[in-house]
Amino acid sequence: MSPLPPSLDLDALRSYVLGLECGSFALAAQRLCRSTSAVSAQLKKLEQQCGTDLVMKQGRHLVPTASGERLLGYAKRLLALNDEAVLALKGELLQGEIRLGVQEDFGESLLPAVLGPLCRQHPALRMTTRIDRNGALVQGIREGTLDMALAWQPQGEREGLPLIEVVQLAWIAHPEWDLAPLLARGEPLPLVLFDAPCLMRARAIRALDDAGIPWRIAFTSQSLGGIWAAVQAGLGITVRSPIGMPASLATLGGVLPSPGTLGVVLLAASHETDEARCQLQRLLTDAVHHASAGHRG
């Protein structure tokens, strides 16, 4: 009989996955309430079980090898199934329905990491998710068509809202887009913005007006995808959060006046809470904190 393959250590797999997701095994150790040396020992144990190197150094960071990338997908599935089994045996599988709204800046960058694991671990939980602009999300909460909404802090509402993060806004352009000649000639800066009313549009225009820099609207869109496409095409610059910014674009650090910061809030249609909503709130809050910390670093 051929020998049985080794059983992978689930705790080691959890440390491995979290380390890659956080971009730092030291940060993963903090999240797991373990020492960095303990997490390093788990990683070595996992490499021994797999019989290959799983990570390699790239600059100051550790990134997965080709084998490590293959393991990552299996590891996430194993951990999800393990967590689902534990919750099922404890009778703690979440049920019910949540109608969630998410601002466009967070949709593509945060939702997969939050909703995927949550829905896999709790198959009886019905999630209805809508990605939309800020005004539509606030309206959905007020009208009761949404239960929760991850949104930018509405203008003029500073108190009574659950502020979960303050995000630095940035001027964003194509990496090869040259701002200097326009500024030198005093030509109006071409802006790529949403139609009014829009928080980011107001911030961009106010920052330029306060600095006495001329501007013109070069492109408007009803969708964030249209904004990114126009900036990628070199039609102009925009103001957004770096969270969710396509990797093909870049921020214009220190060249133009700062558009300031904007709060991220988690709106709720009512004060009623249950375990499903509490867990979703924790996951969304953690995801925003992690994304914001990554851009600050």
Side-chain angles (χ1 to χ4, degrees), residues 74-94:
Y74 290 110
K76 290 181 178 179
R77 287 157 52 192
L78 286 168
L79 290 171
L81 189 58
N82 172 84
D83 296 345
E84 181 182 332
V86 171
L87 291 171
L89 291 172
K90 290 183 177 180
E92 296 178 359
L93 286 177
L94 302 180

Side-chain angles (χ1 to χ4, degrees), residues 3-288:
L4 294 175
S7 298
L8 299 178
D9 186 301
L10 287 176
D11 286 336
L13 284 175
R14 197 177 300 278
S15 296
Y16 175 69
V17 171
L18 189 57
L20 293 180
E21 289 180 344
C22 292
S24 164
F25 284 93
L27 184 57
Q30 295 177 13
R31 295 272 297 274
L32 294 167
C33 298
R34 295 176 179 270
S35 66
T36 303
S37 59
V39 170
S40 296
Q42 286 183 319
L43 180 58
K44 290 181 180 179
K45 178 181 179 181
L46 191 59
E47 288 182 327
Q48 291 174 350
Q49 291 177 329
C50 295
T52 184
D53 293 335
L54 298 175
V55 295
M56 59 183 178
K57 275 198 171 184
Q58 189 175 84
R60 295 186 300 172
H61 302 284
L62 290 175
V63 298
T65 62
S67 296
E69 288 183 332
R70 286 197 296 271
L71 174 65
L72 190 59
Y74 290 110
K76 290 181 178 179
R77 287 157 52 192
L78 286 168
L79 290 171
L81 189 58
N82 172 84
D83 296 345
E84 181 182 332
V86 171
L87 291 171
L89 291 172
K90 290 183 177 180
E92 296 178 359
L93 286 177
L94 302 180
Q95 299 184 6
E97 180 179 8
I98 301 177
R99 298 167 300 173
L100 174 67
V102 180
Q103 215 283 337
E104 289 180 292
D105 294 88
F106 309 120
E108 184 176 342
S109 57
L110 299 187
L111 282 189
V114 172
L115 296 189
L118 182 66
C119 293
R120 286 194 296 270
Q121 292 175 17
H122 304 282
L125 179 64
R126 298 188 303 277
M127 289 291 306
T128 303
T129 307
R130 167 179 150 198
I131 296 177
D132 213 330
R133 293 181 59 180
N134 225 66
L137 297 181
V138 173
Q139 184 178 356
I141 290 292
R142 289 172 177 167
E143 295 177 348
T145 57
L146 292 174
D147 299 311
M148 299 172 63
L150 184 67
W152 296 112
Q153 186 177 36
Q155 190 172 5
E157 299 187 34
R158 299 292 181 184
E159 299 180 359
L161 293 178
L163 185 66
I164 60 177
E165 186 64 88
V166 176
V167 175
Q168 179 65 53
L169 302 181
W171 294 97
I172 296 173
H174 188 279
E176 298 179 0
W177 199 85
D178 193 358
L179 178 65
L182 291 177
L183 292 177
R185 294 192 297 266
E187 294 183 17
L189 298 184
L191 302 182
V192 176
L193 301 169
F194 279 125
D195 291 325
C198 170
L199 292 170
M200 306 290 185
R201 179 189 178 108
R203 290 297 187 89
I205 292 174
R206 186 173 66 191
L208 295 178
D209 283 346
D210 289 347
I213 299 175
W215 54 269
R216 64 181 178 87
I217 302 297
F219 184 93
T220 60
S221 174
Q222 288 290 333
S223 71
L224 185 56
I227 296 291
W228 293 138
V231 177
Q232 176 65 43
L235 300 185
I237 60 177
T238 192
V239 165
R240 303 301 304 176
S241 161
I243 296 175
M245 179 184 74
S248 58
L249 301 179
T251 58
L252 298 172
V255 180
L256 294 174
S258 172
T261 61
L262 199 57
V264 182
V265 295
L266 193 56
L267 307 175
S270 71
H271 296 294
E272 297 181 6
T273 59
D274 54 32
E275 181 55 34
R277 296 188 190 191
C278 288
Q279 185 163 335
L280 179 58
Q281 179 177 343
R282 288 194 296 270
L283 290 171
L284 289 171
T285 300
D286 287 346
V288 172

